[in-house]
Amino acid sequence: MASSVKQHGRVYTPDYLVRQILDFGGYTGETIIGKHVIDNSCGEGAFLRAIVKRYCETYKGDRLKQHLETYIHGIELDENEQNKCVEALNEIALLYGINHINWDILCADALTVDYHNGKMDFVFGNPPYVRVHNLDKSYDAVKQFSFAQQGMTDLFIVFFELGFRMMKNDGRMCIITPSSWFNSKAGTVLRQYIIQHKNLSGIIDLVHFQPFAATTYTAISRFEKNSNLVELYKYTDNLTPPVLIDKLPLDNLYITGNFYFSNQKHLTELTNIRTGKAFRYVVVKNGFATLADKTFIGDFSFEEGTIDVLKASTGKWSKCIFPYDSNGRPLPLDVIEKNEPLYKYLLEHKSMLTSGRDVENKEHWYLFGRSQAIKDVGRDKLALNTIIKDKSSIRLMKVPAGKGLYSGLYILTDIEEREIRELIVCDDFVEYVRMLANYKSGGYYTFASKDVEQYLNHKLSERYE
């Protein structure tokens, strides 16, 4: 199964989610009769089983067999999975007195199939989750799709484009995928397409709820032509139906190239933050990146050549080997050699430092892997952890000149610490981070240096401009 998930992205959809997706996509009632529907990555048939059952329950005529053969479609790459799907559909049809059905369930790579294009009234499914570089046979086919031209493409991104091709002009698509397409580089072209064609009509963000064994954060997306408003729903937990957040014009949700799904009040604030003037009251940067923390950071038997360092994520102090001068310039190796305990220690770990990490300059094997934050050791800083859940989980700590930090961000500013603390350790900042929708396990959220920098400069500009 592990290999199947990695190479083919098979993640099976539980029945309750299938029902919710079909309902959200409008595959209900008598309107489904005589309408073409497809799952183009159908696996064992989770969606098609529910679709066939709904069709059989709704159809009142005497040509049910012909309808099932004509209007129900599927594609599955794996022959074993395709056979299981057909067997399951036969069992359902038999309950309604129908057998010997010639199902249109094709065993093929959906990326190479085009005869469904422009014919589907409904497209449903749970596309495969797999990075393109892990594909065994489909890489060339993937790179033919325009949505696959940005970033480290995930296969599911391509299935958006595949679905759009299959939809009729007045068709509808409703699929569950990772929510990373909201803001990932790989989703850039997809987002631009959606804005250009105005075809997104609904989002159900599952937020922290993970219905699959894979640790992926997911969303249900619904598409149809000329959508004036987007219905926004969010899960509050896995036991209750999703809650309607707002109905908003698509353009309101598209901010600096990414999608943010929240209510209008919060989106207005986010827009102001993202598009405001670049006042430079603060600069926010990433802490040390030694690429070998277990070697450079810990408790050492020597003091010379080390500085105090804060782990921003935990608030704990320790010692850090610091092979740089007071201005952040690398110390020559002959200077390091004069510090016998330090040099002996580094030699003992040279093999790992030279072969176990990707450093900027391989000749300087005894230095940190990256140069970030080194030149700011001589300045006062405020350290900030980057994974939070609520106000109580925010750690904002002073790091005096001469000391460093890692596993977090730091803020450089002339503004008093008290004022920065008021702006960061508060509910407004927590809500801002939640809007960014960068989910972590356990109900936590993460953010980047640019996010904090934009937020603080915006808030401070409101006070001083």
Side-chain angles (χ1 to χ4, degrees):
M1 174 65 77
S3 175
S4 177
V5 170
K6 184 174 182 180
Q7 293 187 344
H8 303 292
R10 295 193 184 97
V11 180
Y12 301 107
T13 314
D15 290 342
Y16 70 91
L17 264 183
V18 170
R19 291 191 296 270
Q20 188 172 99
I21 293 167
L22 294 182
D23 290 345
F24 194 54
Y27 196 79
T28 59
E30 295 183 358
T31 58
I32 70 175
I33 301 303
K35 298 297 177 64
H36 291 276
V37 57
I38 191 169
D39 179 352
N40 50 34
S41 56
C42 64
E44 295 180 3
F47 283 91
L48 291 179
R49 291 197 304 270
I51 286 168
V52 168
K53 185 176 181 181
R54 289 190 181 196
Y55 205 101
C56 290
E57 289 176 345
T58 305
Y59 183 76
K60 304 303 181 185
D62 56 3
R63 300 177 65 248
L64 179 57
K65 180 177 183 293
Q66 291 88 334
H67 273 246
L68 296 178
E69 292 177 340
T70 302
Y71 297 110
I72 310 299
H73 311 273
I75 306 174
E76 171 51 43
L77 177 64
D78 184 272
E79 184 176 3
N80 185 51
E81 300 276 297
Q82 184 246 10
N83 287 333
K84 289 180 180 179
C85 176
V86 170
E87 290 174 6
L89 299 186
N90 282 333
E91 290 178 4
I92 294 171
L94 193 58
L95 296 175
Y96 297 88
I98 307 298
N99 54 27
H100 304 300
I101 298 175
N102 183 23
W103 296 102
D104 181 27
I105 309 300
L106 184 65
C107 183
D109 184 345
L111 304 183
T112 66
V113 176
D114 60 11
Y115 73 79
H116 296 100
N117 289 0
K119 300 176 182 178
M120 294 299 111
D121 297 286
F122 294 96
V123 178
F124 292 104
N126 180 2
Y129 307 177
V130 58
R131 287 292 177 93
V132 168
H133 67 270
N134 287 325
L135 291 174
D136 47 3
K137 297 179 180 179
S138 298
Y139 181 82
D140 291 339
V142 167
K143 300 309 288 185
Q144 300 302 313
F145 285 79
S146 61
F147 289 5
Q149 305 306 312
Q150 292 282 335
M152 182 64 74
T153 301
D154 289 285
L155 184 57
F156 79 88
I157 294 285
V158 176
F159 273 78
F160 281 94
E161 185 171 351
L162 184 64
F164 292 148
R165 291 181 182 183
M166 290 183 172
M167 290 166 58
K168 286 183 177 179
N169 192 44
D170 59 349
R172 182 179 291 173
M173 177 167 70
C174 192
I175 58 177
I176 183 168
T177 70
S179 58
S180 58
W181 70 266
F182 296 173
N183 51 31
S184 67
K185 183 177 180 181
T188 300
V189 180
L190 166 60
R191 293 192 297 273
Q192 292 170 346
Y193 179 94
I194 292 169
I195 284 295
Q196 179 182 354
H197 290 83
K198 308 295 183 188
N199 63 349
L200 179 63
S201 67
I203 286 287
I204 300 177
D205 189 350
L206 277 66
V207 193
H208 287 101
F209 173 48
Q210 296 175 306
F212 308 111
T215 55
T216 302
Y217 299 98
T218 53
I220 300 167
S221 309
R222 186 182 66 205
F223 299 90
E224 53 196 304
K225 184 181 178 182
N226 296 328
S227 302
N228 295 321
L229 294 176
V230 182
E231 294 181 344
L232 307 178
Y233 292 82
K234 287 192 177 182
Y235 267 56
T236 54
D237 56 50
N238 62 330
L239 301 176
T240 59
V243 175
L244 179 64
I245 302 300
D246 214 332
K247 297 181 181 180
L248 298 173
L250 179 62
D251 289 342
N252 291 25
L253 308 171
Y254 190 63
I255 303 171
T256 59
N258 295 330
F259 279 123
Y260 298 94
F261 298 106
S262 188
N263 61 45
Q264 185 60 66
K265 175 184 176 183
H266 291 147
L267 289 173
T268 299
E269 175 70 359
L270 179 61
T271 302
N272 291 336
I273 292 170
R274 290 303 209 202
T275 61
K277 296 179 181 178
F279 293 103
R280 280 293 197 171
Y281 294 102
V282 306
V283 174
V284 182
K285 300 182 180 181
N286 292 288
F288 290 157
T290 70
L291 305 189
D293 287 351
K294 291 183 178 179
T295 297
F296 283 99
I297 298 170
D299 295 320
F300 305 103
S301 60
F302 49 89
E303 288 281 338
E304 187 179 353
T306 70
I307 62 172
D308 292 331
V309 66
L310 174 72
K311 188 172 185 178
S313 61
T314 64
K316 294 182 178 180
W317 288 92
S318 54
K319 289 291 184 179
C320 177
I321 292 172
F322 192 70
Y324 303 88
D325 65 19
S326 59
N327 294 313
R329 293 187 295 256
L331 294 173
L333 188 57
D334 58 356
V335 174
I336 298 290
E337 290 173 349
K338 295 177 182 178
N339 184 341
E340 293 185 6
L342 171 61
Y343 184 57
K344 179 181 178 182
Y345 175 86
L346 289 172
L347 282 178
E348 290 173 350
H349 294 82
K350 182 176 180 180
S351 176
M352 193 284 296
L353 294 176
T354 54
S355 62
R357 61 183 184 151
D358 177 23
V359 295
E360 292 176 342
N361 188 332
K362 293 190 180 298
E363 293 183 3
H364 292 166
W365 58 269
Y366 56 94
L367 300 178
F368 293 175
R370 300 288 182 267
S371 59
Q372 64 192 47
I374 293 170
K375 293 186 181 298
D376 290 325
V377 166
R379 303 179 63 179
D380 290 334
K381 303 167 284 292
L382 291 173
L384 177 65
N385 59 314
T386 59
I387 300 178
I388 67 171
K389 188 172 189 177
D390 49 31
K391 187 169 63 175
S392 66
S393 64
I394 299 173
R395 294 187 181 90
L396 187 68
M397 298 180 63
K398 186 173 183 179
V399 179
K403 304 180 188 294
L405 71 126
Y406 72 109
S407 186
L409 308 177
Y410 63 96
I411 301 166
L412 297 173
T413 183
D414 294 327
I415 303 295
E416 291 185 7
E417 178 186 347
R418 171 192 57 79
E419 192 167 0
I420 298 297
R421 187 173 297 278
E422 288 176 357
L423 295 174
I424 290 290
V425 187
C426 67
D427 292 332
D428 280 354
F429 181 69
V430 173
E431 186 56 45
Y432 166 69
V433 170
R434 287 175 177 168
M435 278 191 293
L436 301 178
N438 296 316
Y439 304 122
K440 303 293 285 186
S441 61
Y444 285 81
Y445 299 81
T446 187
F447 49 87
S449 57
K450 181 181 178 181
D451 300 325
V452 182
E453 187 170 285
Q454 288 180 324
Y455 170 84
L456 284 175
N457 281 314
H458 170 72
K459 292 293 186 181
L460 289 166
S461 70
E462 288 184 327
R463 294 188 177 189
Y464 294 115
E465 295 299 325

